[in-house]
Amino acid sequence: MAALSVEVANKAGACYGVNRALDMAYACSPSAASTTPMPVYTLGPLIHNPRVVAELAENGIGVVESLDLAAGGTIIIRSHGTSPQVINEAKDRGFNVVDATCPFVSKVHEHVRTLGEEGYKVIIIGEEGHAEVEGIRAWGGDAVIAVVDDPAALPLELPEHVGVVVQTTQSETCYRGVLAEIEKRCADVKAFKTICSATQQRQQAAAELAQRVDVMVVIGGRNSGNTKRLFEICSEHCPSFHIEAADELQSSWFEGATRVGVTAGASTPQEHINDVVSALKEL
Ligand code: F3S
């Protein structure tokens, strides 16, 4: 097969918050010779990427789903954030807490808390049950009256003073649609558009590249929602393949192709992208 020309989307892979959380976690690992109290755990998988979770485990950073399962030491809070209750409980129980909540998510926590203090009832535009949304809800406490990702799902009765925040990974379209309906029905609306541009930028760059190449390779955890979305977007434009690691590449996918595009979800570290690009060039 003739050598493939490989191009990586101009926005691809780990976002600022994920890179920061990874750096903070590795700085706690036993091999970093840090003064961090051992053992070290992340509360839930640090990111939706099984390979990264396995690499962290090799570096002495395990995963616990609840504080009860941790044998003391250090607890790392992942970039999605968590509730203030969990952070306080971990501190009260004597854990060293390393809070790797993405600063953009912390900003949402701050808004939701302040809105409650100012007397607003809060609507979170986001996906019910998602870890980030549950954390945001907890920071708002009783002030939060609904979590919706569709105008039709808004409560029938809305109070006069409504505050609005949005899950960082929601789309602009969803935000605008729900907000327009709230504004129609409430006298006083104070909204914070807390969408993070990382997801949208990756989607736009993937779509743009997928239109110019013969085949797309999408790298990221099979359990990563944003990676799956990138795969769907690319598949609309050209044959596309979702992999977690370079050893899954099959030369038959590229028969007759000359240009290959590569993109990666917001939880895929740069090294994983580099591995795939090198493997593609050697096919
Ligand atoms: Fe933070 Fe945005 Fe990533 S909110 S975790 S930088 S997708």
mmCIF file of all heavy atoms in Angstrom, residues 76-113:
data_model
loop_
_atom_site.group_PDB
_atom_site.id
_atom_site.type_symbol
_atom_site.label_atom_id
_atom_site.label_comp_id
_atom_site.label_asym_id
_atom_site.label_seq_id
_atom_site.Cartn_x
_atom_site.Cartn_y
_atom_site.Cartn_z
ATOM 1 N N ILE A 76 -8.612 12.040 44.666
ATOM 2 C CA ILE A 76 -8.587 13.050 43.601
ATOM 3 C C ILE A 76 -9.995 13.204 43.038
ATOM 4 O O ILE A 76 -10.630 12.215 42.659
ATOM 5 C CB ILE A 76 -7.626 12.628 42.460
ATOM 6 C CG1 ILE A 76 -6.217 12.404 43.015
ATOM 7 C CG2 ILE A 76 -7.611 13.671 41.344
ATOM 8 C CD1 ILE A 76 -5.259 11.759 42.023
ATOM 9 N N ILE A 77 -10.483 14.429 43.017
ATOM 10 C CA ILE A 77 -11.807 14.717 42.439
ATOM 11 C C ILE A 77 -11.618 14.960 40.946
ATOM 12 O O ILE A 77 -10.772 15.758 40.535
ATOM 13 C CB ILE A 77 -12.444 15.976 43.089
ATOM 14 C CG1 ILE A 77 -12.488 15.836 44.626
ATOM 15 C CG2 ILE A 77 -13.817 16.274 42.498
ATOM 16 C CD1 ILE A 77 -13.323 14.707 45.165
ATOM 17 N N ARG A 78 -12.410 14.280 40.126
ATOM 18 C CA ARG A 78 -12.195 14.366 38.671
ATOM 19 C C ARG A 78 -12.682 15.684 38.062
ATOM 20 O O ARG A 78 -13.366 16.468 38.730
ATOM 21 C CB ARG A 78 -12.832 13.166 37.989
ATOM 22 C CG ARG A 78 -14.274 12.968 38.334
ATOM 23 C CD ARG A 78 -14.713 11.609 37.900
ATOM 24 N NE ARG A 78 -16.092 11.378 38.262
ATOM 25 C CZ ARG A 78 -16.777 10.330 37.840
ATOM 26 N NH1 ARG A 78 -16.195 9.440 37.051
ATOM 27 N NH2 ARG A 78 -18.022 10.158 38.195
ATOM 28 N N SER A 79 -12.367 15.871 36.779
ATOM 29 C CA SER A 79 -12.616 17.174 36.152
ATOM 30 C C SER A 79 -14.101 17.533 36.085
ATOM 31 O O SER A 79 -14.457 18.704 36.068
ATOM 32 C CB SER A 79 -11.990 17.237 34.755
ATOM 33 O OG SER A 79 -12.360 16.122 34.002
ATOM 34 N N HIS A 80 -15.004 16.538 36.050
ATOM 35 C CA HIS A 80 -16.451 16.796 36.079
ATOM 36 C C HIS A 80 -16.897 17.478 37.374
ATOM 37 O O HIS A 80 -18.006 17.980 37.453
ATOM 38 C CB HIS A 80 -17.208 15.467 36.110
ATOM 39 C CG HIS A 80 -17.288 14.747 34.824
ATOM 40 N ND1 HIS A 80 -17.377 15.386 33.634
ATOM 41 C CD2 HIS A 80 -17.342 13.417 34.550
ATOM 42 C CE1 HIS A 80 -17.467 14.484 32.674
ATOM 43 N NE2 HIS A 80 -17.436 13.274 33.198
ATOM 44 N N GLY A 81 -16.070 17.339 38.433
ATOM 45 C CA GLY A 81 -16.440 17.896 39.727
ATOM 46 C C GLY A 81 -17.358 16.973 40.504
ATOM 47 O O GLY A 81 -17.742 15.894 40.023
ATOM 48 N N THR A 82 -17.684 17.379 41.716
ATOM 49 C CA THR A 82 -18.601 16.595 42.543
ATOM 50 C C THR A 82 -19.340 17.543 43.476
ATOM 51 O O THR A 82 -19.226 18.763 43.334
ATOM 52 C CB THR A 82 -17.827 15.504 43.329
ATOM 53 O OG1 THR A 82 -18.781 14.654 43.983
ATOM 54 C CG2 THR A 82 -16.894 16.083 44.372
ATOM 55 N N SER A 83 -20.082 16.992 44.428
ATOM 56 C CA SER A 83 -20.865 17.848 45.327
ATOM 57 C C SER A 83 -19.990 18.389 46.453
ATOM 58 O O SER A 83 -18.981 17.765 46.820
ATOM 59 C CB SER A 83 -22.017 17.038 45.928
ATOM 60 O OG SER A 83 -21.483 16.057 46.792
ATOM 61 N N PRO A 84 -20.382 19.530 47.055
ATOM 62 C CA PRO A 84 -19.619 20.036 48.204
ATOM 63 C C PRO A 84 -19.685 19.045 49.365
ATOM 64 O O PRO A 84 -18.737 18.937 50.147
ATOM 65 C CB PRO A 84 -20.316 21.348 48.554
ATOM 66 C CG PRO A 84 -21.633 21.335 47.857
ATOM 67 C CD PRO A 84 -21.511 20.397 46.700
ATOM 68 N N GLN A 85 -20.782 18.280 49.454
ATOM 69 C CA GLN A 85 -20.934 17.315 50.545
ATOM 70 C C GLN A 85 -19.839 16.248 50.468
ATOM 71 O O GLN A 85 -19.245 15.876 51.482
ATOM 72 C CB GLN A 85 -22.313 16.617 50.478
ATOM 73 C CG GLN A 85 -23.504 17.503 50.794
ATOM 74 C CD GLN A 85 -23.977 18.343 49.594
ATOM 75 O OE1 GLN A 85 -23.347 18.355 48.533
ATOM 76 N NE2 GLN A 85 -25.049 19.085 49.770
ATOM 77 N N VAL A 86 -19.570 15.763 49.260
ATOM 78 C CA VAL A 86 -18.550 14.713 49.111
ATOM 79 C C VAL A 86 -17.172 15.265 49.476
ATOM 80 O O VAL A 86 -16.392 14.623 50.189
ATOM 81 C CB VAL A 86 -18.557 14.143 47.666
ATOM 82 C CG1 VAL A 86 -17.314 13.307 47.391
ATOM 83 C CG2 VAL A 86 -19.811 13.302 47.437
ATOM 84 N N ILE A 87 -16.887 16.479 49.032
ATOM 85 C CA ILE A 87 -15.576 17.075 49.331
ATOM 86 C C ILE A 87 -15.430 17.266 50.848
ATOM 87 O O ILE A 87 -14.406 16.901 51.436
ATOM 88 C CB ILE A 87 -15.403 18.409 48.570
ATOM 89 C CG1 ILE A 87 -15.342 18.124 47.063
ATOM 90 C CG2 ILE A 87 -14.153 19.158 49.035
ATOM 91 C CD1 ILE A 87 -15.220 19.328 46.172
ATOM 92 N N ASN A 88 -16.481 17.782 51.476
ATOM 93 C CA ASN A 88 -16.412 17.997 52.930
ATOM 94 C C ASN A 88 -16.298 16.686 53.691
ATOM 95 O O ASN A 88 -15.537 16.577 54.651
ATOM 96 C CB ASN A 88 -17.644 18.785 53.412
ATOM 97 C CG ASN A 88 -17.580 20.218 52.914
ATOM 98 O OD1 ASN A 88 -16.491 20.722 52.596
ATOM 99 N ND2 ASN A 88 -18.719 20.871 52.804
ATOM 100 N N GLU A 89 -17.044 15.694 53.228
ATOM 101 C CA GLU A 89 -16.991 14.403 53.917
ATOM 102 C C GLU A 89 -15.588 13.803 53.823
ATOM 103 O O GLU A 89 -15.045 13.291 54.803
ATOM 104 C CB GLU A 89 -18.025 13.445 53.314
ATOM 105 C CG GLU A 89 -18.191 12.194 54.170
ATOM 106 C CD GLU A 89 -18.978 11.090 53.467
ATOM 107 O OE1 GLU A 89 -19.826 11.413 52.606
ATOM 108 O OE2 GLU A 89 -18.709 9.910 53.800
ATOM 109 N N ALA A 90 -14.993 13.915 52.621
ATOM 110 C CA ALA A 90 -13.634 13.365 52.446
ATOM 111 C C ALA A 90 -12.652 14.076 53.383
ATOM 112 O O ALA A 90 -11.822 13.433 54.032
ATOM 113 C CB ALA A 90 -13.203 13.522 50.988
ATOM 114 N N LYS A 91 -12.801 15.391 53.482
ATOM 115 C CA LYS A 91 -11.895 16.142 54.376
ATOM 116 C C LYS A 91 -12.144 15.742 55.831
ATOM 117 O O LYS A 91 -11.198 15.506 56.586
ATOM 118 C CB LYS A 91 -12.108 17.652 54.198
ATOM 119 C CG LYS A 91 -11.523 18.167 52.879
ATOM 120 C CD LYS A 91 -11.739 19.655 52.738
ATOM 121 C CE LYS A 91 -11.185 20.160 51.406
ATOM 122 N NZ LYS A 91 -11.719 21.465 51.040
ATOM 123 N N ASP A 92 -13.436 15.666 56.209
ATOM 124 C CA ASP A 92 -13.770 15.302 57.597
ATOM 125 C C ASP A 92 -13.233 13.921 57.957
ATOM 126 O O ASP A 92 -12.896 13.663 59.110
ATOM 127 C CB ASP A 92 -15.294 15.297 57.807
ATOM 128 C CG ASP A 92 -15.868 16.710 57.787
ATOM 129 O OD1 ASP A 92 -15.068 17.660 57.836
ATOM 130 O OD2 ASP A 92 -17.104 16.846 57.696
ATOM 131 N N ARG A 93 -13.199 13.043 56.962
ATOM 132 C CA ARG A 93 -12.731 11.683 57.251
ATOM 133 C C ARG A 93 -11.211 11.574 57.180
ATOM 134 O O ARG A 93 -10.660 10.484 57.248
ATOM 135 C CB ARG A 93 -13.400 10.698 56.298
ATOM 136 C CG ARG A 93 -14.866 10.505 56.690
ATOM 137 C CD ARG A 93 -15.672 9.781 55.659
ATOM 138 N NE ARG A 93 -15.320 8.387 55.508
ATOM 139 C CZ ARG A 93 -16.061 7.499 54.856
ATOM 140 N NH1 ARG A 93 -17.196 7.867 54.313
ATOM 141 N NH2 ARG A 93 -15.664 6.259 54.739
ATOM 142 N N GLY A 94 -10.550 12.708 56.980
ATOM 143 C CA GLY A 94 -9.094 12.735 57.061
ATOM 144 C C GLY A 94 -8.369 12.481 55.746
ATOM 145 O O GLY A 94 -7.145 12.339 55.715
ATOM 146 N N PHE A 95 -9.107 12.418 54.638
ATOM 147 C CA PHE A 95 -8.423 12.231 53.352
ATOM 148 C C PHE A 95 -7.731 13.533 52.947
ATOM 149 O O PHE A 95 -8.218 14.627 53.261
ATOM 150 C CB PHE A 95 -9.423 11.878 52.247
ATOM 151 C CG PHE A 95 -10.006 10.499 52.340
ATOM 152 C CD1 PHE A 95 -11.281 10.298 52.863
ATOM 153 C CD2 PHE A 95 -9.288 9.394 51.907
ATOM 154 C CE1 PHE A 95 -11.823 9.032 52.949
ATOM 155 C CE2 PHE A 95 -9.824 8.127 51.992
ATOM 156 C CZ PHE A 95 -11.090 7.932 52.511
ATOM 157 N N ASN A 96 -6.625 13.382 52.227
ATOM 158 C CA ASN A 96 -6.038 14.535 51.561
ATOM 159 C C ASN A 96 -6.822 14.685 50.253
ATOM 160 O O ASN A 96 -6.863 13.747 49.449
ATOM 161 C CB ASN A 96 -4.560 14.242 51.287
ATOM 162 C CG ASN A 96 -3.926 15.261 50.376
ATOM 163 O OD1 ASN A 96 -4.113 16.452 50.560
ATOM 164 N ND2 ASN A 96 -3.178 14.785 49.389
ATOM 165 N N VAL A 97 -7.484 15.832 50.035
ATOM 166 C CA VAL A 97 -8.322 15.977 48.842
ATOM 167 C C VAL A 97 -7.600 16.817 47.795
ATOM 168 O O VAL A 97 -7.181 17.941 48.069
ATOM 169 C CB VAL A 97 -9.683 16.626 49.203
ATOM 170 C CG1 VAL A 97 -10.524 16.844 47.949
ATOM 171 C CG2 VAL A 97 -10.434 15.760 50.206
ATOM 172 N N VAL A 98 -7.439 16.234 46.602
ATOM 173 C CA VAL A 98 -6.865 16.980 45.475
ATOM 174 C C VAL A 98 -8.024 17.244 44.519
ATOM 175 O O VAL A 98 -8.575 16.311 43.928
ATOM 176 C CB VAL A 98 -5.747 16.160 44.789
ATOM 177 C CG1 VAL A 98 -5.260 16.860 43.528
ATOM 178 C CG2 VAL A 98 -4.600 15.938 45.762
ATOM 179 N N ASP A 99 -8.422 18.493 44.421
ATOM 180 C CA ASP A 99 -9.618 18.815 43.639
ATOM 181 C C ASP A 99 -9.224 19.168 42.200
ATOM 182 O O ASP A 99 -8.750 20.263 41.920
ATOM 183 C CB ASP A 99 -10.348 19.988 44.300
ATOM 184 C CG ASP A 99 -11.689 20.246 43.640
ATOM 185 O OD1 ASP A 99 -12.018 19.563 42.650
ATOM 186 O OD2 ASP A 99 -12.419 21.140 44.128
ATOM 187 N N ALA A 100 -9.418 18.199 41.290
ATOM 188 C CA ALA A 100 -9.058 18.435 39.883
ATOM 189 C C ALA A 100 -10.282 18.859 39.063
ATOM 190 O O ALA A 100 -10.289 18.735 37.839
ATOM 191 C CB ALA A 100 -8.419 17.179 39.299
ATOM 192 N N THR A 101 -11.310 19.370 39.744
ATOM 193 C CA THR A 101 -12.480 19.885 39.011
ATOM 194 C C THR A 101 -12.016 20.924 37.995
ATOM 195 O O THR A 101 -11.251 21.837 38.344
ATOM 196 C CB THR A 101 -13.475 20.565 39.989
ATOM 197 O OG1 THR A 101 -13.797 19.646 41.018
ATOM 198 C CG2 THR A 101 -14.734 21.010 39.279
ATOM 199 N N CYS A 102 -12.478 20.793 36.756
ATOM 200 C CA CYS A 102 -12.090 21.771 35.729
ATOM 201 C C CYS A 102 -12.550 23.165 36.180
ATOM 202 O O CYS A 102 -13.692 23.327 36.623
ATOM 203 C CB CYS A 102 -12.755 21.399 34.407
ATOM 204 S SG CYS A 102 -12.486 22.649 33.144
ATOM 205 N N PRO A 103 -11.699 24.163 36.066
ATOM 206 C CA PRO A 103 -12.099 25.514 36.503
ATOM 207 C C PRO A 103 -13.372 26.016 35.813
ATOM 208 O O PRO A 103 -14.128 26.785 36.401
ATOM 209 C CB PRO A 103 -10.899 26.383 36.121
ATOM 210 C CG PRO A 103 -9.750 25.433 36.075
ATOM 211 C CD PRO A 103 -10.298 24.110 35.635
ATOM 212 N N PHE A 104 -13.638 25.541 34.582
ATOM 213 C CA PHE A 104 -14.886 25.957 33.909
ATOM 214 C C PHE A 104 -16.102 25.351 34.612
ATOM 215 O O PHE A 104 -17.165 25.959 34.666
ATOM 216 C CB PHE A 104 -14.887 25.545 32.428
ATOM 217 C CG PHE A 104 -13.785 26.180 31.631
ATOM 218 C CD1 PHE A 104 -13.007 25.431 30.763
ATOM 219 C CD2 PHE A 104 -13.515 27.538 31.747
ATOM 220 C CE1 PHE A 104 -11.980 26.010 30.032
ATOM 221 C CE2 PHE A 104 -12.496 28.130 31.014
ATOM 222 C CZ PHE A 104 -11.724 27.364 30.159
ATOM 223 N N VAL A 105 -15.935 24.157 35.149
ATOM 224 C CA VAL A 105 -17.036 23.520 35.890
ATOM 225 C C VAL A 105 -17.188 24.210 37.257
ATOM 226 O O VAL A 105 -18.306 24.472 37.709
ATOM 227 C CB VAL A 105 -16.788 21.992 36.035
ATOM 228 C CG1 VAL A 105 -17.880 21.350 36.883
ATOM 229 C CG2 VAL A 105 -16.712 21.324 34.667
ATOM 230 N N SER A 106 -16.055 24.536 37.881
ATOM 231 C CA SER A 106 -16.123 25.251 39.174
ATOM 232 C C SER A 106 -16.869 26.576 39.025
ATOM 233 O O SER A 106 -17.567 27.020 39.923
ATOM 234 C CB SER A 106 -14.721 25.549 39.702
ATOM 235 O OG SER A 106 -14.023 24.360 39.895
ATOM 236 N N LYS A 107 -16.697 27.200 37.870
ATOM 237 C CA LYS A 107 -17.380 28.477 37.598
ATOM 238 C C LYS A 107 -18.902 28.262 37.621
ATOM 239 O O LYS A 107 -19.649 29.087 38.134
ATOM 240 C CB LYS A 107 -16.925 28.957 36.208
ATOM 241 C CG LYS A 107 -17.212 30.387 35.909
ATOM 242 C CD LYS A 107 -16.193 31.296 36.544
ATOM 243 C CE LYS A 107 -16.758 32.686 36.662
ATOM 244 N NZ LYS A 107 -16.169 33.486 37.699
ATOM 245 N N VAL A 108 -19.353 27.135 37.044
ATOM 246 C CA VAL A 108 -20.789 26.836 37.048
ATOM 247 C C VAL A 108 -21.256 26.650 38.496
ATOM 248 O O VAL A 108 -22.317 27.141 38.888
ATOM 249 C CB VAL A 108 -21.124 25.561 36.227
ATOM 250 C CG1 VAL A 108 -22.634 25.445 36.027
ATOM 251 C CG2 VAL A 108 -20.415 25.551 34.885
ATOM 252 N N HIS A 109 -20.438 25.949 39.308
ATOM 253 C CA HIS A 109 -20.788 25.757 40.727
ATOM 254 C C HIS A 109 -20.964 27.112 41.412
ATOM 255 O O HIS A 109 -21.893 27.331 42.181
ATOM 256 C CB HIS A 109 -19.679 24.980 41.455
ATOM 257 C CG HIS A 109 -19.498 23.574 40.954
ATOM 258 N ND1 HIS A 109 -18.411 22.793 41.278
ATOM 259 C CD2 HIS A 109 -20.270 22.808 40.153
ATOM 260 C CE1 HIS A 109 -18.532 21.606 40.697
ATOM 261 N NE2 HIS A 109 -19.634 21.599 40.010
ATOM 262 N N GLU A 110 -20.056 28.006 41.115
ATOM 263 C CA GLU A 110 -20.095 29.333 41.739
ATOM 264 C C GLU A 110 -21.376 30.080 41.347
ATOM 265 O O GLU A 110 -22.051 30.649 42.185
ATOM 266 C CB GLU A 110 -18.879 30.097 41.218
ATOM 267 C CG GLU A 110 -18.290 31.102 42.154
ATOM 268 C CD GLU A 110 -17.062 31.699 41.460
ATOM 269 O OE1 GLU A 110 -16.103 30.933 41.224
ATOM 270 O OE2 GLU A 110 -17.103 32.903 41.140
ATOM 271 N N HIS A 111 -21.698 30.027 40.028
ATOM 272 C CA HIS A 111 -22.910 30.725 39.555
ATOM 273 C C HIS A 111 -24.166 30.162 40.208
ATOM 274 O O HIS A 111 -25.038 30.902 40.639
ATOM 275 C CB HIS A 111 -23.060 30.583 38.040
ATOM 276 C CG HIS A 111 -22.105 31.430 37.251
ATOM 277 N ND1 HIS A 111 -21.864 32.754 37.550
ATOM 278 C CD2 HIS A 111 -21.341 31.153 36.170
ATOM 279 C CE1 HIS A 111 -20.988 33.238 36.685
ATOM 280 N NE2 HIS A 111 -20.654 32.283 35.847
ATOM 281 N N VAL A 112 -24.246 28.854 40.271
ATOM 282 C CA VAL A 112 -25.465 28.227 40.759
ATOM 283 C C VAL A 112 -25.639 28.540 42.259
ATOM 284 O O VAL A 112 -26.745 28.785 42.740
ATOM 285 C CB VAL A 112 -25.431 26.716 40.400
ATOM 286 C CG1 VAL A 112 -24.780 25.876 41.427
ATOM 287 C CG2 VAL A 112 -26.776 26.188 40.080
ATOM 288 N N ARG A 113 -24.559 28.577 42.974
ATOM 289 C CA ARG A 113 -24.609 28.883 44.406
ATOM 290 C C ARG A 113 -25.033 30.345 44.616
ATOM 291 O O ARG A 113 -25.917 30.654 45.399
ATOM 292 C CB ARG A 113 -23.226 28.625 45.030
ATOM 293 C CG ARG A 113 -23.230 28.573 46.544
ATOM 294 C CD ARG A 113 -21.916 28.044 47.065
ATOM 295 N NE ARG A 113 -20.747 28.612 46.399
ATOM 296 C CZ ARG A 113 -20.160 29.758 46.722
ATOM 297 N NH1 ARG A 113 -20.624 30.474 47.716
ATOM 298 N NH2 ARG A 113 -19.106 30.181 46.053
#
